Structure formats: structure tokens, C-alpha cells
Amino acid sequence: MTDRISPLSTPAATRAVLEAHGLATKKSLGQNFLVNDDVLRKILELSEVGADDVVLEVGPGIGTLTIPLLKEARAVASVERDRDLPTVLRGTCGPWAERFSLVEKDAVDLTEEDVRAALACPIASLGAGEGEEGAPGAPHAVASEHEPASGSLPLPNKFVANLPYAVAATVVLGYFQDFPWIDSATVMVQAEVADRMCAQPGSKNYGAYTVKLSLYAKPAGRFSVSPGNFFPPPHVDSSVLRLDRRDLAEDGIELSPDELRATCTMADAAFASRRKTLSNSCKTYFSGRGPEGKRIAGELPALFEAAGIDPARRGETLSLEEFARLGRALHRALS
């Protein structure tokens, strides 16, 4: 199809690329390759990636989503753990080598320094893609629509990825916490994980993770993806979710960096024993955290009073603003 946005978005093309390199999907790494061009289009539309954006991608696989991103973005930096795939990517993404960077590392351990180093050294500078354009399923060379990634590039402002499901929740929260330069994340995750990311107070999916993620980002769009859109099909339903970085001040919540960290701690404490009251759950949490924790456990009644929170409530009933009040009270208790 001439209007296909990725030449790899079919089962046949995916198999051909893997077989050309003597590879197969690795269940241990949670590899399920997307093979539906319409889903790719919807991901691009939801992410709103444009020519001024630098994109961070995790788990590029053979480049199925990477290629459409490279067609639209100023540059793409991808993070791949599987040591067999960089060679594949240097072939499939070779036509865009001047704007494509690769970090060969576990995404959970990614640092800002890794991203800076990768952006400063696109695969074109490594002679990538030479002699590989004829590989089955690989795109033919085309003229670049954007300027090469030469000179100084800004850090990625958009995170777009078909994430390995085992680390998806950890990566999304961690990147919003550690990488302030990320403005939005458009990610494919397990449907249940997306439910947790979008949950509202009082729902069964609302928990410590939801509260902590909500301190940094808010949902801005979502659509479902069934197992048949992958090769091989996973045993779970998936969702693509866009999260935009939250400006807490716009919501009337003012937190210093230390208060923000304390609020995350209070979220963990409130849900340490989900069925218990705030008082009992937080007491259990802090009592097991050394002398300082035991001191805080003894001061919990005063902490709840300072925050104006009834300790007989349960964590799932608290709003984000109420958790922020608890975080400020904890920060004062720790100071």
C-alpha cells in the first residue's frame, strides 16, 4: 500500500525482518510487535508529534513505530534492551539515520546523560544502515523531510512508545518524575495499567500509583487496542494513553520539590494496607521504617489534624488536593 505509514506494520513484513536476521520474538522480553497501520496512525494523531518535536521512544523493536515517528519528528532517540535489535534498527531506520539515535540499555535505568549522549551521536555517525536497505521489510531510502540532527538538539519533549508491559508503569511514572523536559507521554500499556493511570478517587483502581502519577501528569486521551493487532498476539487487552504534564499551580496546589516527595510518601502510606483506615495504614507503613519512621508514626494524630483530614477515612476517598495537604504536613514533621 502506497499510503502505509510503516512498511513493517504487517505480520508478513515483521516475520521477514526477523527471519532475515535469524531472530524470533522473545517472550522473556515481552516482545509483541504492532502490525496494524491504522493503530500507528491513531498513536501519531494522539501524540501530536510534529516537525519541532524531539521524541523519546522505549522498546522500538524492529522500528515499526519508530519509522512513522522519524517521518514526523525533528529527531527520535530510542531505548532498546534487546542486544539483537540494534543491528535490525540500523537497517530499517537507516534512511533517517541522521535524525535517529539509539540507547542500548534497560529503559528502567535510563539517565538524562544517556539521552544527551545519544542525541549527540545519531546512528548516521556510526555508518549505520550501510548495505541493509534491501533487507526484507526495510524501507527504501527517501529524502529527509526535516533537517538532520546535527548540532545541539534539545532534550526530548515527547515520550511515545509501545512499552514492554512488565515495566510500563514504572517507566511512565519514573520518566515524569526524573525527566522534567518531557511534556507528554503517549504510550501503549496493558489496559488494566491504563485504568490505574486514569482512575478517580473512590474507584477500585485508585491507589498509591494513581496518586503519585497524578501529581505529575493528567490523562489527555485514550483508545483501546485488541490482541489481534500484534505479532504474536498478547494474552491481554491494551490501551494507548496520552498523559500531559500537570502544572499543579494551575489546579491551586502549591508544592515545593520536598513537599512533592513527601506527598508521594503519604500516598504509599495511605495504601500500605488498603482496607484499613488512614490512621492504621499509615501507622503500619511508618512503624516499619526505622527510628525516624517510628517517630512519625507517633505523630500521626497531629499530622492528620494539621492537614485537616479525618484519620478514620480510607486512602481511596482522598482527592489529590487532600493528599497534597498530607504531604505538606509530613514535610513539616520531617523538618
Side-chain angles (χ1 to χ4, degrees):
M1 294 177 60
T2 57
D3 59 348
R4 186 174 292 279
I5 64 171
S6 176
L8 307 179
S9 60
T10 66
T14 299
R15 279 194 297 266
V17 170
L18 292 172
E19 290 171 0
H21 291 271
L23 300 176
T25 58
K26 297 179 182 178
K27 187 176 181 180
S28 63
L29 297 181
Q31 290 179 342
N32 301 97
F33 299 107
L34 190 57
V35 289
N36 186 313
D37 217 60
D38 290 336
V39 175
L40 292 172
R41 290 183 189 277
K42 292 179 71 174
I43 292 173
L44 286 184
E45 290 172 2
L46 186 60
S47 68
E48 297 182 333
V49 168
D52 295 328
D53 295 317
V54 178
V55 176
L56 176 64
E57 181 192 23
V58 165
I62 61 173
T64 307
L65 174 59
T66 319
I67 290 171
L69 290 172
L70 285 164
K71 289 178 178 179
E72 300 294 332
R74 180 178 177 184
V76 176
S78 297
V79 185
E80 180 54 62
R81 173 187 174 188
D82 187 344
R83 295 185 177 182
D84 290 327
L85 292 179
T87 298
V88 180
L89 288 162
R90 291 184 180 105
T92 58
C93 298
W96 302 274
E98 292 182 331
R99 297 189 289 105
F100 178 50
S101 304
L102 189 60
V103 181
E104 298 182 39
K105 190 174 187 178
D106 192 322
V108 174
D109 300 320
L110 186 71
T111 66
E112 181 175 313
E113 290 70 26
D114 294 328
V115 180
R116 288 187 183 277
L119 288 171
C121 185
I123 63 170
S125 65
L126 306 176
E130 293 179 6
E132 296 187 72
E133 289 174 8
H140 298 293
V142 297
S144 172
E145 297 176 8
H146 309 307
E147 291 297 317
S150 57
S152 177
L153 276 171
L155 286 162
N157 62 309
K158 291 189 176 179
F159 176 32
V160 185
N162 176 13
L163 288 172
Y165 288 176
V167 299
T170 300
V171 166
V172 171
L173 175 58
Y175 284 14
F176 272 114
Q177 288 178 322
D178 298 337
F179 303 149
W181 24 270
I182 290 178
D183 295 328
S184 71
T186 304
V187 291
M188 178 94 71
V189 298
Q190 189 172 335
E192 288 79 1
V193 173
D195 291 341
R196 289 170 58 201
M197 291 177 170
C198 298
Q200 296 297 310
S203 68
K204 66 177 183 178
N205 293 307
Y206 187 71
Y209 181 86
T210 312
V211 174
K212 291 187 285 187
L213 181 60
S214 296
L215 290 166
Y216 296 90
K218 54 187 175 182
R222 175 180 177 176
F223 64 88
S224 300
V225 183
S226 62
N229 292 290
F230 298 88
F231 170 79
H235 299 295
V236 297
D237 290 325
S238 306
S239 289
V240 174
L241 176 66
R242 173 169 166 171
L243 296 159
D244 288 347
R245 182 171 292 280
R246 181 190 295 274
D247 183 349
L248 286 172
E250 290 182 353
D251 299 322
I253 301 175
E254 297 286 351
L255 292 172
S256 69
D258 287 341
E259 289 172 336
L260 187 59
R261 285 188 287 271
T263 303
C264 289
T265 298
M266 286 306 302
D268 286 330
F271 290 96
S273 301
R274 187 181 182 95
R275 294 183 181 274
K276 293 184 178 181
T277 64
L278 283 169
S279 178
N280 290 332
S281 183
C282 291
K283 184 176 181 179
T284 299
Y285 178 88
F286 286 109
S287 295
R289 278 160 177 76
E292 182 70 352
K294 287 183 172 62
R295 179 181 72 81
I296 295 298
E299 297 180 11
L300 283 172
L303 188 153
F304 288 122
E305 183 177 359
I309 302 295
D310 182 355
R313 293 172 62 184
R314 287 179 169 79
E316 66 263 26
T317 69
L318 269 61
S319 68
L320 191 64
E321 190 275 333
E322 289 175 313
F323 271 109
R325 280 154 47 192
L326 286 174
R328 283 192 289 266
L330 175 61
H331 175 62
R332 289 193 294 270
L334 291 170
S335 300

